[in-house]
Amino acid sequence: MDGQLGVHGENSLEPQLMEQFVESGSPGQSKAELELDSVIRSKTSLKVSAVKAGGMTSLAIDDRGALWMWGNCPQENSNGDGSLMFVSSFSPIPVWDFHGHTVVKVACGNEHVVALVSAGEKHEGDDLVCYTWGGNGHGQLGLGDTENRVRPEMIGMFNQEFQWTVYEVACGAFHTALLTRKKRPSDTLESMCWTFGLGDRGQLGHGTTQSALVPEPVKELPQPVYLVSVDCGLFHTSVVSSAGDVWSWGMEKGLGLCPDASFTGTDSGDAISPLRISGDGVHAPKFNDPVQVSCGAAHTVLVAHDGCKLWSWGRGRSGVLGNGKTVDCFTPSIVLWPPQNEDFKQEELNQPDKIVDKEGSDGDSEMEKKLSLAMEEMKLLQSKLSTMERYASILHGSIFGKPFEEQDIPSSLQNSGTFDIAREWENMLESADRSKLVRLEMFYRNMLAGVKDKMMKKRIQEIIKEYLPSSTQGK
């Protein structure tokens, strides 16, 4: 209804082709803008190289480095006082402020936009600068105040003289995250994460719930580290390093909008500093060969193993985690990818570039069948393992009030493969502090009360069943 589909002012249940993409312009164009518009219109080969969506706004970068916007677009109020208003554009319009420069990355929140733009006409090396504009009620533009901006304005600290260069950007609802790396030449490949804007749920990772009007580094991330990806949910932030370490912070221990998360006591609440996320199950704390992390409002998805594996965690409603379930999962679970259903296999066979060699040997065909069966069996085992891990995590969370992590595995089971439950229970009680003991007492007291209640109800039902036949016979 705000034009974010770029085709009309109505909702659509299926993809709509944006035929007028290169026919958009804006009134009152300057001579340079008209020249650019003429060039764009004359080039039928114009292609989109990147897209981004957030709030009620959609953005696209074309292959010539121009930025396009549609949906709720920030514009100057028509009363001439310079104030900000949002106008619905039902087709893409170019952001003329970046004419003569190359837009490389873009992100948007509920009301603000952040773009990484070349200092010169073309993007060369470490020349990117950061521009922000739109709503700024919480300082999410990083410009040192809470005044809205109608037009893009550069964040001064990330100028050409700064020793760090920005290379990644992400936006939450009302906060922003940037990744910077040391400019070349540098002896080590290291980076930093900077955040600013609304911080009421710890989404900035600064160790407080205060908002920030200018970019501040997330100091509790380890150094040296090189971060390959960052993303923001509505109220949480996640990063992943080249070594495969993942950190999250913000609402509900960095999970995002998950009010049903089963954390209690000292382990409950928001994470105001980065928390390290355990990796593939309990035996591999890292995610090898990470590619990208992406955040929804209440869940997070990670691509690793050079694109061959995906993990997800957070709220699981509507099957958004892709692990075959609709339950919440507070630790990473493996996404069932690639799917093993017949429709997917048939689609692969229908691809025109899939040429079947009919002269191939029967041995090769037999080997392919065995490999296919082995893959299906591995997927089944992975699904079972994921279910068992979720069950263990839920059970552990119910008892101890926090997710199951690698360090929670008893030492006897890690070292010898055997498990003396009585001894481990005694060791756990011996090392527990008072708050943990109080929680355990409350848990088992409630559990015992529940068992006694169920036993009483069953006994009453048995007595009623015994009484009813005898009373019927008496009549």
Side-chain angles (χ1 to χ4, degrees):
M1 64 180 179
D2 293 302
Q4 59 267 44
L5 299 186
V7 287
H8 46 59
E10 298 178 358
N11 298 332
S12 175
L13 299 179
E14 59 185 21
Q16 300 291 315
L17 180 63
M18 297 169 61
E19 296 177 344
Q20 305 301 318
F21 185 80
V22 296
E23 297 181 6
S24 302
S26 65
Q29 296 173 351
S30 66
K31 182 178 179 181
E33 293 170 346
L34 289 171
E35 289 176 357
L36 176 62
D37 191 34
S38 176
V39 170
I40 292 173
R41 291 172 186 271
S42 65
K43 300 293 185 180
T44 57
S45 60
L46 190 68
K47 297 179 181 179
V48 172
S49 59
V51 292
K52 205 72 176 181
M56 297 297 175
T57 306
S58 300
L59 297 151
I61 303 173
D62 66 31
D63 57 353
R64 289 173 175 78
L67 179 63
W68 302 76
M69 175 184 291
W70 60 99
N72 259 4
C73 301
Q75 293 187 17
E76 186 175 347
N77 201 312
S78 57
N79 59 21
D81 62 357
S83 61
L84 177 73
M85 63 180 294
F86 288 90
V87 178
S88 296
S89 174
F90 298 110
S91 60
I93 57 175
V95 180
W96 296 110
D97 299 80
F98 299 131
H99 174 57
H101 299 269
T102 300
V103 179
V104 178
K105 297 283 180 69
V106 69
C108 56
N110 276 18
E111 297 178 343
H112 73 294
V113 184
V114 183
L116 303 185
V117 185
S118 65
E121 183 175 352
K122 295 183 179 180
H123 171 40
E124 297 177 351
D126 298 330
D127 70 334
L128 293 181
V129 290
C130 184
Y131 284 86
T132 61
W133 69 102
N136 192 33
H138 303 281
Q140 60 264 45
L141 299 186
L143 300 173
D145 55 47
T146 56
E147 297 296 322
N148 299 328
R149 298 298 196 279
V150 176
R151 304 176 71 89
E153 188 170 325
M154 187 176 72
I155 298 179
M157 68 177 297
F158 296 122
N159 56 31
Q160 289 295 90
E161 287 72 36
F162 194 53
Q163 64 174 332
W164 300 81
T165 184
V166 185
Y167 64 95
E168 287 290 344
V169 59
C171 294
F174 302 105
H175 76 288
T176 306
L178 304 172
L179 297 185
T180 63
R181 60 170 175 252
K182 276 193 174 180
K183 290 184 176 178
R184 299 180 180 87
S186 177
D187 296 333
T188 59
L189 189 64
E190 57 181 293
S191 62
M192 293 182 66
C193 179
W194 306 72
T195 56
F196 46 95
L198 184 64
D200 64 334
R201 305 307 298 264
Q203 58 265 52
L204 301 185
H206 297 162
T208 72
T209 55
Q210 295 180 354
S211 298
L213 303 182
V214 295
E216 297 181 13
V218 182
K219 296 180 180 178
E220 292 194 32
L221 286 172
Q223 289 293 338
V225 66
Y226 188 76
L227 304 171
V228 298
S229 180
V230 61
D231 202 19
C232 303
L234 292 179
F235 307 107
H236 76 291
T237 308
S238 296
V239 295
V240 58
S241 74
S242 58
D245 293 304
V246 177
W247 293 271
S248 289
W249 57 91
M251 180 179 281
E252 289 295 343
K253 313 304 288 184
L255 291 172
L257 196 62
C258 293
D260 301 326
S262 56
F263 302 122
T264 58
T266 57
D267 295 310
S268 63
D270 303 327
I272 59 177
S273 298
L275 293 179
R276 189 167 173 274
I277 306 298
S278 297
D280 183 8
V282 293
H283 301 293
K286 296 188 177 184
F287 301 89
N288 296 327
D289 302 318
V291 177
Q292 181 184 0
V293 65
S294 185
C295 299
H299 76 295
T300 305
V301 180
L302 176 75
V303 185
H305 285 249
D306 202 23
C308 296
K309 285 189 177 182
L310 296 93
W311 286 263
S312 61
W313 58 96
R315 182 179 290 185
R317 297 178 186 178
S318 304
V320 71
L321 300 183
N323 55 16
K325 306 291 183 180
T326 57
V327 297
D328 298 345
C329 189
F330 304 138
T331 57
S333 61
I334 293 179
V335 177
L336 301 179
W337 171 264
Q340 294 298 308
N341 57 58
E342 292 300 323
D343 291 341
F344 182 82
K345 293 178 182 177
Q346 186 62 40
E347 186 64 27
E348 281 191 316
L349 294 173
N350 290 339
Q351 295 299 318
D353 57 344
K354 302 275 186 176
I355 301 176
V356 180
D357 184 7
K358 295 183 179 180
E359 297 179 359
S361 65
D362 293 337
D364 291 341
S365 178
E366 186 65 26
M367 180 60 70
E368 288 179 1
K369 290 181 180 179
K370 290 182 178 180
L371 287 173
S372 178
L373 290 173
M375 288 296 295
E376 290 183 7
E377 187 173 350
M378 285 180 61
K379 291 293 181 183
L380 180 62
L381 290 173
Q382 286 179 346
S383 178
K384 290 181 178 179
L385 178 61
S386 178
T387 301
M388 292 170 65
E389 288 177 352
R390 288 199 302 273
Y391 177 73
S393 181
I394 292 170
L395 190 61
H396 190 273
S398 299
I399 298 174
F400 299 105
K402 65 176 184 178
F404 184 62
E405 297 179 351
E406 184 180 12
Q407 58 265 28
D408 296 317
I409 301 176
S411 57
S412 61
L413 187 60
Q414 286 183 333
N415 300 329
S416 63
T418 60
F419 182 54
D420 187 338
I421 188 170
R423 180 182 299 174
E424 292 295 342
W425 181 256
E426 185 64 30
N427 291 340
M428 187 275 294
L429 292 177
E430 191 69 30
S431 61
D433 56 21
R434 186 178 182 281
S435 62
K436 192 172 184 178
L437 291 173
V438 170
R439 173 177 171 78
L440 287 172
E441 181 186 21
M442 290 295 297
F443 174 79
Y444 284 105
R445 183 180 296 173
N446 293 337
M447 188 170 64
L448 182 61
V451 171
K452 288 182 176 180
D453 183 59
K454 289 294 182 183
M455 290 179 64
M456 179 64 72
K457 287 181 178 179
K458 286 185 178 295
R459 181 54 184 157
I460 292 173
Q461 290 174 352
E462 291 172 357
I463 293 173
I464 293 174
K465 288 181 180 179
E466 291 175 1
Y467 173 75
L468 284 178
S470 60
S471 62
T472 305
Q473 292 174 2
K475 291 181 180 180

